[in-house]
Amino acid sequence: MIEGVVNAAYEPIITLGVQGPTGQASEIEAVVDTGFTGFLTATPALVADLRLRYLSRG
């Protein structure tokens, strides 16, 4: 079961564990998006920390 909270803006928030391709790990808070389109975004700092490749920049 996934547990989370609802913030002051009435957004559902969950904590996710994410891992880079060589094992670096981090926990992030994410807003649950019921209109998910198939792509996730990450901050430049998280991309650098996890040593991820950019699919695209926008």
Side-chain angles (χ1 to χ4, degrees):
M1 175 188 304
I2 298 173
E3 293 185 20
V5 298
V6 175
N7 68 13
Y10 302 106
E11 298 169 318
I13 306 290
I14 59 172
T15 300
L16 294 175
V18 292
Q19 186 172 343
T22 58
Q24 310 86 319
S26 185
E27 282 194 347
I28 61 169
E29 288 189 344
V31 175
V32 176
D33 178 6
T34 58
F36 181 68
T37 59
F39 290 93
L40 299 174
T41 60
T43 63
L46 181 62
V47 170
D49 288 348
L50 297 179
R51 298 184 185 130
L52 301 174
R53 291 181 333 143
Y54 279 99
L55 179 61
S56 67
R57 294 177 188 235

